[in-house]
Amino acid sequence: MDWTALWLSLQLAGWTVVILLPVSILMGRVLAYRKFAGKGLVEALVMLPLVLPPTVFGFYLLVSFGAASPVGQFWQTMFGEPLVFSFEGLVLASVIFNLPFAIQPAQRGFESVPVEVREAAACCGMSPSRSLWTVELPLAWPGLLTAMVLTFAHTLGEFGIVLMVGGSIPGETKTIAIAIYDRVQGFDDSGAAIMSAVLVAISLVTITLTYWLSARVGRRLG
Amino acid sequence: MTLDVIVQAQGPIPLDIAFQVEPGELLALVGPSGSGKTTMLRTIAGLWQPDKARIAVQGQLWLDSATGFSLPVHRRRVGVVFQNYALFPHMTAVQNVAAAIDHLQGAARKVEALRLLELVNLHGLEGRKPAELSGGQQQRVAVARALARRPDALLLDEPFSAVDRATRDRLYTEIIALRAHLAMPVVLVTHDMNEAQLLADRLVVIAGGGMVAAGPTGTVMADPRALHAMGIREAAAMLGAVVKGHDADGMTALHTSAGPLWLPRLDVVPGTRVRVRIMAHEVILSRARPEGLSAQNILVGRVVELLAGDGPAMMVRLALGEDVILARITRRAAQQLALEPGDQVHAILKSMSVARDHIAADTQP
């Protein structure tokens, strides 16, 4: 059992969720409530990682994070180390790759808040930010929860992107999914089996918890 | 605290409407659906921005398209009761009301919210979520929540349309009683002429985005232009009466300034002042006092005015004691009776022609 790899995967998933939560609230809310020119294009761009093969997506990220790219150069001058094949690069790739898993359910969550309830909040004297905290988030949170759980579970199991952008550096970019692949390549079937089972267990627990929480919310709202 | 509204929008919804509402006054915007009355309410609240409009409350500007000024919705001190109430589903009744209170904090806020719930007769139900309340109870929470901000203007958007007839009847009585506590201008949007007549001091009749008639409720209800827009069968007038007592055969005796009136049993205590809506097309006029008639109510009145329309009918304004009612009769009948202003006539009112929800409690002394 490669505990370092598991811990790295959990950290990667955790950071991805932490970064994507505010992003999905912001983007999900805008896409749910606003009508603007190019909205369809934005929605399509957000969904793109869902349809592209992870290797293709990973290839483009690798190119755009590389030392020759503006993003890579900026990172190098800011932090003095390359962005590719680092944990930070992996987090950034994971954030971008998980946009559809985070934003889509968040958008559905905000869309479930009736227009007149939002209007009532404004007519009750609530500023947009107070309306977000006291009315919209309490009503949209099943969608946000789904978004975060999907992101977390999906990041734990991601393989192609991680391999393309991160490589397989132990303690830095070697996640549990990569570790399992390595074990299989090295004919260590029992090691791969244990790690796979652990991953299944974690995923199952996370999803079950989500369903249980959503059902409780459903009852609470009648 | 006068509410001053001028809207002259070109599109997408053309509107050309202007009115003023005094503090404590209830103005009803009436008209068929799609006439623009709800858009007017949304404009006042700030939920809709027409290209040309000016809205001010007691000199404080809320919207002025000429200078491009528009106060954000949450900064306008407005109370709105939405058609489907739009309560916050995750909050209890008392939390819904407290959410709109911004002038108090902590415990004082809850005390005020409970006081408002008591004002709308919801004592004991403060811990329930909207889904656990009946339609009528939800409407009361919505009214309490709209009042919670101490609004400078209260806006009611078809607030009675989602409840059954019996509940509506009770809510009318409650709103009439509640008005004694309201010092702000109130605007009611409705397509129900009975509702407008029972509740409003003044009417603005809207059709196709324009004003057809405006003025005191009694005057507008006799205005042929207004009646054309609202449907001629809505013509009616209010007759004030005091409940005298209940008879064993199920009839209630009332006293009007023109004489006694009998109606099917009203569940109110003797001494209660009521206003009865008399439909113009249900009134029969007679020169001589008729004998051997099934109709129970024969009141003596005097012709005030004869209003001819385009069709075969005409409207007679008739003074009955201190009130003026309307009678819609044919032009031919008016000629046969040779009716002239000042003539004495008998108005015959069938007891059973008065619907229960056409009678409202009257809180005015």
Side-chain angles (χ1 to χ4, degrees), chain B:
Chain B
M1 262 205 322
T2 309
L3 170 66
D4 211 332
V5 181
I6 304 168
V7 178
Q8 285 168 315
Q10 304 296 313
I13 303 167
L15 288 170
D16 186 5
I17 291 158
F19 56 79
Q20 283 193 336
V21 196
E22 300 298 325
E25 186 183 37
L26 195 153
L27 177 113
L29 294 179
V30 293
S33 37
S35 57
K37 49 194 196 307
T38 293
T39 308
M40 285 302 297
L41 214 65
R42 293 176 63 79
T43 305
I44 299 171
L47 299 168
W48 171 258
Q49 194 128 224
D51 45 17
K52 214 171 151 205
R54 188 181 184 281
I55 292 160
V57 177
Q58 201 192 19
Q60 198 209 350
L61 207 55
W62 281 5
L63 176 70
D64 189 1
S65 58
T67 59
F69 175 79
S70 175
L71 201 63
V73 181
H74 68 277
R75 303 265 304 277
R76 302 185 186 196
R77 294 207 72 83
V78 68
V80 184
V81 176
F82 291 84
Q83 190 166 0
N84 295 309
Y85 319 132
L87 296 176
F88 306 129
H90 58 299
M91 297 184 192
T92 62
V94 68
Q95 286 169 338
N96 260 280
V97 178
I101 299 174
D102 50 12
H103 57 281
L104 296 169
Q105 293 301 322
R109 193 184 211 172
K110 193 178 176 192
V111 169
E112 171 70 358
L114 288 170
R115 186 189 72 83
L116 285 160
L117 284 176
E118 207 155 329
L119 191 66
V120 295
N121 302 318
L122 275 184
H123 184 68
L125 298 177
E126 58 271 5
R128 297 234 190 133
K129 296 264 172 67
E132 299 160 350
L133 295 168
S134 72
Q137 289 164 343
Q138 288 181 32
Q139 196 255 24
R140 293 183 180 101
V141 176
V143 170
R145 186 179 68 175
L147 293 175
R149 287 186 81 188
R150 306 209 169 149
D152 289 341
L154 181 64
L155 309 177
L156 313 170
D157 185 9
E158 303 261 8
F160 308 101
S161 63
V163 291
D164 60 75
R165 213 184 164 110
T167 308
R168 199 181 312 164
D169 198 25
R170 272 202 309 280
L171 292 174
Y172 286 162
T173 311
E174 288 184 18
I175 287 283
I176 290 167
L178 191 63
R179 283 197 55 198
H181 302 266
L182 305 182
M184 75 291 280
V186 185
V187 181
L188 167 75
V189 158
T190 180
H191 65 271
D192 186 329
M193 289 313 300
N194 176 49
E195 188 171 300
Q197 195 154 25
L198 290 184
L199 303 177
D201 304 311
R202 276 196 306 133
L203 299 183
V204 169
V205 182
I206 299 177
M211 275 188 8
V212 177
T217 305
T219 313
V220 172
M221 288 308 281
D223 186 335
R225 281 168 309 164
L227 291 172
H228 185 73
M230 298 175 307
I232 195 74
R233 291 185 72 82
E234 290 290 354
M238 301 305 285
L239 185 61
V242 181
V243 175
K244 282 284 156 210
H246 305 294
D247 295 348
D249 62 354
M251 297 294 281
T252 294
L254 298 98
H255 177 78
T256 74
S257 57
L261 184 73
W262 277 273
L263 294 177
R265 186 179 169 89
L266 302 177
D267 288 320
V268 289
V269 290
T272 307
R273 289 185 62 87
V274 294
R275 298 192 311 146
V276 183
R277 187 171 188 235
I278 307 291
M279 305 301 294
H281 62 260
E282 301 278 10
V283 179
I284 297 169
L285 298 182
S286 170
R287 277 276 185 194
R289 189 174 185 88
E291 297 283 334
L293 204 63
S294 71
Q296 293 298 303
N297 305 304
I298 302 169
L299 299 173
V300 182
R302 197 166 291 282
V303 176
V304 177
E305 197 180 358
L306 294 145
L307 303 160
D310 303 330
M314 66 190 313
M315 198 67 82
V316 182
R317 292 185 68 217
L318 196 68
L320 285 183
E322 294 158 8
D323 291 295
V324 175
I325 68 159
L326 298 173
R328 187 161 174 263
I329 60 173
T330 57
R331 219 186 269 265
R332 181 186 296 176
Q335 274 163 10
Q336 284 165 357
L337 295 179
L339 290 180
E340 293 289 340
D343 289 357
Q344 182 183 296
V345 287
H346 294 84
I348 299 151
L349 312 172
K350 208 167 172 284
S351 294
M352 289 300 171
S353 70
V354 177
R356 178 61 192 90
D357 63 354
H358 283 195
I359 301 161
D362 188 359
T363 51
Q364 261 99 52

Side-chain angles (χ1 to χ4, degrees), chain A residues 129-180:
Chain A
S129 67
R130 219 187 119 212
S131 170
L132 174 68
W133 283 108
T134 55
V135 175
E136 292 164 39
L137 284 180
L139 292 174
W141 86 268
L144 286 166
L145 183 69
T146 307
M148 293 309 110
V149 169
L150 277 179
T151 301
F152 189 84
H154 183 242
T155 309
L156 273 189
E158 181 46 40
F159 181 78
I161 292 262
V162 178
L163 201 60
M164 292 295 280
V165 180
S168 178
I169 306 163
E172 182 73 26
T173 62
K174 189 178 184 178
T175 61
I176 184 97
I178 307 279
I180 292 170

